[in-house]
Amino acid sequence: MNSSLTIETITEAAARIKPYIHRTPVFSSVMINQLCGAELFLKSENLQKVGAFKARGAVNAVFSLNDADFSANKGSDRYVTTHSSGNHAAALAYAARCRGIKALVVMPENAPPVKKAAVAGYGAQITYVESTQEAREMGLAEIVDQTGAVFIHPYNDQRVIAGQATAAMELIDQVPGLDAVIAPVGGGGLLSGTALSASALQPAAQIFGAEPEGANDAFRSLQAGRIIPMTDPQTIADGLRTSLGELTFPIIQKHVQEIITVDEEAIIHAMRLIWERMKLIVEPSSAVALAAVISKRDQLKGQKIGLIISGGNADLDHLPWFEG
Amino acid sequence: MNSSLTIETITEAAARIKPYIHRTPVFSSVMINQLCGAELFLKSENLQKVGAFKARGAVNAVFSLNDADFSANKGSDRYVTTHSSGNHAAALAYAARCRGIKALVVMPENAPPVKKAAVAGYGAQITYVESTQEAREMGLAEIVDQTGAVFIHPYNDQRVIAGQATAAMELIDQVPGLDAVIAPVGGGGLLSGTALSASALQPAAQIFGAEPEGANDAFRSLQAGRIIPMTDPQTIADGLRTSLGELTFPIIQKHVQEIITVDEEAIIHAMRLIWERMKLIVEPSSAVALAAVISKRDQLKGQKIGLIISGGNADLDHLPWFEG
């Protein structure tokens, strides 16, 4: 099933999304390097369109669709749809606007106001449902039934994975000679894409996933050799509460050296460190990657390490160092 | 007295500081551009060494010093000194460490802990005094008397102004064809440097200063045609509470079109806008420049505007949208 996901697919994705996507900068901090005893390179996808790497996958998916894909659409408009409380919703709305088609997004009614506003701001039509998985899937099924909209899954989709893979592809071009690459893991779209790019373009680099202890399904799935879904995740890293998918799991299983898990305190500490020392706003999910490097600094000493900073959509009204 | 401050001086400063300074990136936001009806280019000196443009001036000053300048130093060590509660203290400490000499810094005892830690972190020796201007100047005089240290003023110094001018020089190189350049104004080091670079390298551009209403000495000084010192400034933009100096005032008088003043609410709004939409941590003083552009959007409509984002040393424990 992954046979079509090659480095050529990723190169094609990079060309396809180029007009709509930032080539994001890579930043380093002398102080954080000293703290880790290593050279860290932060690929700042928080500065990406919609504030997260998710724009890459959504744009690639939406622009990959051809006439046949839209053949189920009812009426003269073209539709894509998804359900998401977070960055994928905004990313799909952005991608649809770039292509001039309509995005129909199912969101839980308790999604953060700033995320609702972002999705609406990109011109998507939002359907609010209760915040259960069941209500979200039912809302989506209804939309597909009524409109024939094309469903774009947030991560279990080859076009999405190929898009997310372009972040690591750029990073490897921007920073030659990386010894390790690390990305946070939720559903695994970013980590599997990162693994595909890194294993092909920088085979000397070890590939790590970073995961909250309170949502450690990827860690447990790799140990068990099969997908163990996450039930009741407990973490402020809201982007990492989802479970691995059937497409992302085998790629991670094949290429990823280790899933490093970190506790909430370490995530908050790393997040604050990036804010304070690098002046970059990163969301908790992104800080998980730095927290993982800090926790493994003995093992990673002296290495050149690329970190995918996944996004910057932090809730400025609820900063974790003020809570609890 | 300004005769030696030419574009050649600034070009020399740029070469002198290059090994120690970041060429900071320039960012734009589609959403903020739409809001302003103009094209804005934010020169992100918040990502500069020590988190502020101040590193440029301090490094230029410290590396301009020759043996004769140090001749008053007592003992075998070389010393520079200043008094500052803010970014100039950290910048001088950083510059001294780069050159391998000692920085002796007078700080008010009520300076924010994070600023004290930054100055100490760069290896400076700190003398704490009461937070009055008199106590600070006395503390400084004592240090100069005891050690013969060379005093580097935070803005009323040609070498410092030439260093600050390199930020606008880079911006003009990075973004051709600017119609306007705007910088915040406190003591005027950044604004006068910006004015010197812009008037020489992009003479078609109008040059604006941005100032809080609650610390509007530059506005009033330009109106009166003489320096009117600021007494009892009232603004969260802590970097802009100082008064113009004898060196900076005439440069500003000659080249700056207008000082645009903005109220506290506009500053906080602009700061939050940059945090939320651009994922960049900027301090209140930097947000004053965006607030000024927003307040003059009718006048600036359709223009290409460069903004110097002065720094990112915001107090993460006291965000203005939580206060008051």
Side-chain angles (χ1 to χ4, degrees), chain B residues 290-314:
Chain B
L290 177 59
V293 172
I294 293 173
S295 80
K296 292 279 178 183
R297 63 182 150 186
D298 291 341
Q299 180 186 330
L300 298 171
K301 208 174 209 64
Q303 297 199 6
K304 281 181 82 166
I305 307 167
L307 291 78
I308 313 282
I309 296 301
S310 50
N313 294 320

Side-chain angles (χ1 to χ4, degrees), chain B residues 64-82:
Chain B
S64 296
L65 297 172
N66 57 32
D67 288 350
D69 292 317
F70 286 116
S71 61
N73 279 191
K74 290 167 188 167
S76 58
D77 278 327
R78 291 182 157 191
Y79 301 100
V80 288
T81 186
T82 200

Side-chain angles (χ1 to χ4, degrees), chain B residues 174-260:
Chain B
Q174 290 164 305
V175 186
L178 287 173
D179 301 305
V181 179
I182 184 162
V185 55
L190 179 64
L191 181 56
S192 61
T194 300
L196 290 169
S197 284
S199 61
L201 301 171
Q202 179 65 12
Q206 290 192 304
I207 302 159
F208 297 99
E211 195 173 45
E213 280 175 9
N216 65 346
D217 63 293
F219 176 81
R220 288 183 294 118
S221 298
L222 279 200
Q223 294 237 315
R226 61 183 169 83
I227 298 176
I228 300 180
M230 193 67 226
T231 53
D232 194 26
Q234 296 293 335
T235 176
I236 57 160
D238 55 320
L240 308 182
R241 290 177 191 147
T242 42
S243 304
L244 291 182
E246 284 160 38
L247 278 180
T248 57
F249 175 65
I251 301 171
I252 291 169
Q253 204 177 23
K254 182 170 177 193
H255 294 293
V256 171
Q257 183 82 13
E258 182 183 349
I259 305 287
I260 304 167

Side-chain angles (χ1 to χ4, degrees), chain A residues 179-211:
Chain A
D179 301 305
V181 179
I182 185 163
V185 54
L190 179 64
L191 180 57
S192 61
T194 300
L196 289 169
S197 284
S199 61
L201 300 170
Q202 180 65 12
Q206 289 192 303
I207 302 159
F208 297 99
E211 194 173 45

